[in-house]
Amino acid sequence: MGYRNSQIVEELAAEGKITTEHKGVQTFDFAQYSLLKRMAETTADSPLDKAAEEKHMLPRTFTSGWLSIAIGWGMTIPQTIDEIVDIGNEPRNPKREQLAYNRLGKIAKKLESAGLIKCLRNGNVQRKNNAVWLLMLGDDEENADVEAYVRERMRL
């Protein structure tokens, strides 16, 4: 899962498409690269292989949410025991989680501005659902086909 997507992210980086402006000069952006790479690795490739089709997976569609990335990157590790709160019988760190959401959200907005990801559905805390992000890793025609397929399957 995500191998071809991950390879495309590598190609985009090599082509200079994952950049930010620093002191008036475009430069490689490690934060954008890391987030896009993680999203690519955890989404099904396009076109779907037989196993992904059988599991009814959606190509290049990230739905795991920022919390999974924040935990995986150690962004929610408490500095003191006082930061830990019991939420649903699980030790959590809401302050650090919120900081991680904010940070990852800012990075995602840069990727969205660059046309590398697209938000198909906003997340909703009350409904406990994550945002749906489509990775725009192909050319315009391929991206349009993948988006139409995902929208149809998700009834968006």
Side-chain angles (χ1 to χ4, degrees):
M1 184 167 89
Y3 177 77
R4 286 178 284 159
N5 291 341
S6 185
Q7 292 302 306
I8 294 169
V9 172
E10 294 286 333
E11 292 168 13
L12 292 171
E15 294 169 6
K17 295 187 178 173
I18 303 175
T19 63
T20 192
E21 188 172 320
H22 181 70
K23 296 183 181 180
V25 178
Q26 286 299 116
T27 185
F28 178 73
D29 189 323
F30 290 101
Q32 288 183 63
Y33 172 79
S34 297
L35 182 58
L36 186 58
K37 184 84 165 172
R38 176 60 67 98
M39 293 170 84
E41 291 169 347
T42 58
T43 59
D45 290 317
S46 179
L48 293 172
D49 60 23
K50 190 170 182 105
E53 280 183 11
E54 289 172 0
K55 294 178 184 175
H56 304 288
M57 296 176 82
L58 298 172
R60 296 184 181 157
T61 307
F62 181 79
T63 59
S64 299
W66 299 146
L67 184 58
S68 66
I69 292 175
I71 291 169
W73 286 353
M75 297 172 80
T76 61
I77 295 173
Q79 298 298 306
T80 68
I81 194 78
D82 297 332
E83 293 179 2
I84 299 173
V85 177
D86 183 34
I87 301 174
N89 291 327
E90 183 181 333
R92 304 256 308 262
N93 188 340
K95 182 179 178 183
R96 289 204 173 255
E97 287 176 13
Q98 188 59 53
L99 290 171
Y101 295 154
N102 294 345
R103 195 166 173 199
L104 293 170
K106 286 179 184 178
I107 298 167
K109 289 297 177 192
K110 289 180 182 179
L111 289 168
E112 190 173 29
S113 294
L116 297 172
I117 62 174
K118 182 176 188 177
C119 186
L120 298 183
R121 183 185 73 206
N122 290 320
N124 186 310
V125 175
Q126 286 78 24
R127 292 184 182 175
K128 296 183 181 179
N129 63 6
N130 296 321
V132 174
W133 293 93
L134 184 66
L135 280 61
M136 309 298 280
L137 303 177
D139 60 26
D140 290 342
E141 184 179 338
E142 181 183 359
N143 287 338
D145 290 344
V146 171
E147 182 176 352
Y149 178 86
V150 170
R151 284 184 180 279
E152 179 183 328
R153 297 298 182 281
M154 293 189 77
R155 294 179 176 87
L156 296 175

